[in-house]
Amino acid sequence: MSMPSTGIRFQGTCFWVRHRHREYGPFDYEWSRDFAGVEFLYQRQKFGEYCSPLEIDADLREFRLPMRVVEVGSIVCGSLIYGIINGLSFAEKRDVVTKELANRGLERFADNIHGWQ
Amino acid sequence: MTSLPKISVCCGLLLLSAALSTSPAIADEPSQRYFEALRERRLWSLAELVCLDELKNLPPTAPRRMEVVLELTETLAKHARDVPLPAERQQLWEQAADVLDTELRQTEVLSHRLALAVQRASLRCDERAVLTLLAEINPYDERQQQHIAELTSKNIIELNRLDDTLAAARFPAPPANAKDWFDVSARQLQRSVQLKLAEELFARAMSQPTTSPDRADDLLKAEQVVRKVSSGPRDALAAQRATLLLTRMHRLRGDSQRAKGLLDSIDVALLPAELRDEVLSEQAELLIAQDKLADAADLLRKAHQVDKAFRHSSLNLITTLTKLSQAARQRRDAALADELLAEAERSARPADGGANYWSQRAQQAVAQAREDLQFGAETAALIREGRGRYAAGDREQAAAAFAQAYRQHFEKGASDDSFEIGLTHARVRVELKQFEATLKSLDELLASHASQAARPQADLLRVICLGRLYQAMPGQAAREKFTAALEAHVRDFPDSPTRADAQKMLDQLKAQLKPAPVPQPK
């Protein structure tokens, strides 16, 4: 069976966004030095940070990614951090990711999630 | 599952009942029908644009201007009922208020000023009615309740003032240059004001405890006012609405016979669909008040086989079915209880898939019945309180409610449910940055629940708390505790998805602790 043209693949704490048959990633995160916040990484380079629900910052411009990838990557990063900080299970994190993607009309990415049981 | 407390934003169409009754006293009928048709088709923007365009060319004193202003503001008010976002709704109400205020500043014609003032007051009543309905979704939002209470009291003051003004203008003699208008329209306007006043008094009474003397006082005043309207011409819509309100008052007082007599006197054939549905709801409420739950369910079932639209009476059907299910369970007839609950669940899904305010409330009622069954009514009520207070932004009270729900449920023994409630409590405490207290709760939770599948999530949350405490007060003891907890998580939950998160934290902590390389002399 051929790979779908869109989707998300998870592996450990990283994930890749598949868009038009091409994978972009890895997106990942790292705890800030004081373990109070989280830094967002793209290909191991910091592109944003989370300090609190009111202080989230992300800028992927320098990577010149397609807009869809930026949207999906940001939504998934935000959902994952929400899940980690609130101690959500895999199933609950997946629900958050699916719901947030669907809210923005990006269900087709949520339909093809790989690497999560 | 007691997932992290959240309340879904009311999405879809609201389509709330009890339409704004503007009764433009000086309306041109074809024009009125045209705008009514646009509103029925929910062509809000088109109706608003047509009005705004026409207003540009009408001088301030033109009688037609008044009609257009009333149509525009009625459209904006109904449009506000139809949007899901509170900010958008507020903006539409403000726009309608601005239009009326501007007109009031521009016109000196007494009849116009009175019609505008009544419309302004009606708009505020409409706002109160919408907010009251929305507040039923989350009764724990105290700030919103307070806002509604203030708005209701302001409305009552304003409507009393308008009632006096209209009475003074009509009696003993209206101004000579406006005699025709006063003969017909001032009377209509006054009836509309009185009906609104009775509705506001009734709403304020309903928001108070049943034993409150203020409630009894408001009900008495509401009855006095509504009687003036219900005794008017029987075919007038206001009279029918007043009779319906009077029926509710008699039912609440326990006088079912008089309530039924009044309800039977309403000629439903002449009423618009939404008001007809309110009459049906009241018929069911009356049967419920007489403990005839099965009759109420039959009445509502039959009605819904004919009219598939999801309205207030659809919610009544769902709540009646859940009550019947509860009663069957108390009689130990589990099969019937399950069947009724399943029927409630099926009926809570709108036939055409179009979700609205009433379908959202119906689904909430079914979810509540399921929670009552899962946790027991008392614990379920505490969980709902926690969820409601969380949604209203009151984290402290939410945490207290979840803590109480946990204690109460845990008394019945450790289970997946008690673990989930305990974990939800801990999540709220983490948001409050109460790491020490959360740590204690999580230690107790993990110690008393040895085999729950969600243990890794609770343990990771515990590790995060230790990390935050170490960050707040760095020291060897805190660091060792944090490191040990991370190592234990990685060791104890090798197959859990949380392991990767803990491992990442552990690696970073170790990297931070490595001594910085000593610079080599050049």
Side-chain angles (χ1 to χ4, degrees), chain A residues 12-13 28-36 52 82 84-90 92-93 99 117, chain B residues 1 3-4 6 420 423 427 430-431 457 460-461 464 467-468 471 482 497 500-501 504-505 508-509 512:
Chain A
T13 59
D28 201 356
Y29 79 90
E30 205 163 68
W31 290 91
S32 59
R33 206 177 152 74
D34 58 7
F35 293 97
S52 74
Y82 173 82
I84 294 165
I85 288 168
N86 287 293
L88 298 191
S89 69
F90 242 18
E92 288 166 330
K93 273 192 241 174
K99 203 174 136 201
Q117 301 88 333
Chain B
M1 194 184 68
S3 59
L4 195 72
K6 49 186 174 262
E420 194 59 48
L423 185 53
R427 286 167 182 158
V430 166
E431 279 197 40
Q457 282 81 55
L460 186 68
L461 204 56
I464 288 173
R468 300 299 294 271
Q471 168 235 331
F482 182 32
D501 295 316
K504 186 181 277 284
M505 241 189 285
Q508 276 187 245
L509 183 65
Q512 281 179 20

Side-chain angles (χ1 to χ4, degrees), chain B residues 282-344:
Chain B
E282 190 51 35
Q283 283 169 340
E285 289 288 359
L286 208 50
L287 289 168
I288 294 167
Q290 294 167 294
D291 266 341
K292 295 176 183 169
L293 280 174
D295 292 348
D298 282 345
L299 173 77
L300 294 164
R301 272 192 197 108
K302 274 180 203 153
H304 285 274
Q305 279 162 5
V306 181
D307 182 2
K308 302 280 182 203
F310 216 98
R311 301 182 205 273
H312 188 181
S313 65
S314 318
L315 172 64
N316 281 69
L317 174 61
I318 309 308
T319 51
T320 309
L321 289 171
T322 57
K323 278 180 194 162
L324 279 169
S325 165
Q326 206 177 17
R329 212 170 293 281
Q330 276 165 3
R331 293 194 309 271
R332 297 182 186 282
D333 189 347
L336 178 63
D338 289 345
E339 197 184 306
L340 286 161
L341 196 50
E343 187 190 345

Side-chain angles (χ1 to χ4, degrees), chain B residues 99 106 140 173 188 268 294 359 401 408 440 459 517:
Chain B
V99 170
Q106 283 179 358
Y140 297 101
Q188 265 183 29
V268 285
S359 69
Q408 209 173 70
K440 196 164 165 265
D459 194 69

Side-chain angles (χ1 to χ4, degrees), chain B residues 357-418:
Chain B
Y357 168 80
W358 298 113
S359 69
Q360 189 187 357
R361 290 275 309 277
Q363 276 156 21
Q364 194 181 19
V366 174
Q368 285 189 7
R370 290 242 176 255
E371 278 176 355
D372 286 352
L373 207 56
Q374 185 182 359
F375 301 104
E378 275 183 48
T379 308
L382 283 167
I383 292 171
R384 281 197 285 277
E385 180 182 342
R387 215 184 276 145
R389 294 201 186 279
Y390 182 91
D394 189 350
R395 306 281 197 269
E396 266 305 339
Q397 295 280 339
F402 282 120
Q404 205 186 333
Y406 170 71
R407 278 195 300 275
Q408 209 173 70
H409 205 61
F410 184 60
E411 273 176 21
K412 297 176 200 164
S415 63
D416 285 350
D417 283 342
S418 59

Side-chain angles (χ1 to χ4, degrees), chain B residues 16 51 64 133 193 212 218 274 320 326 331 381 398-399 408 415 496-497 506:
Chain B
L16 305 170
C51 291
R64 172 70 188 155
L133 282 171
V193 165
S212 157
D218 276 341
E274 303 235 325
T320 309
Q326 206 177 17
R331 293 194 309 271
Q408 209 173 70
S415 63
S496 165
L506 185 60

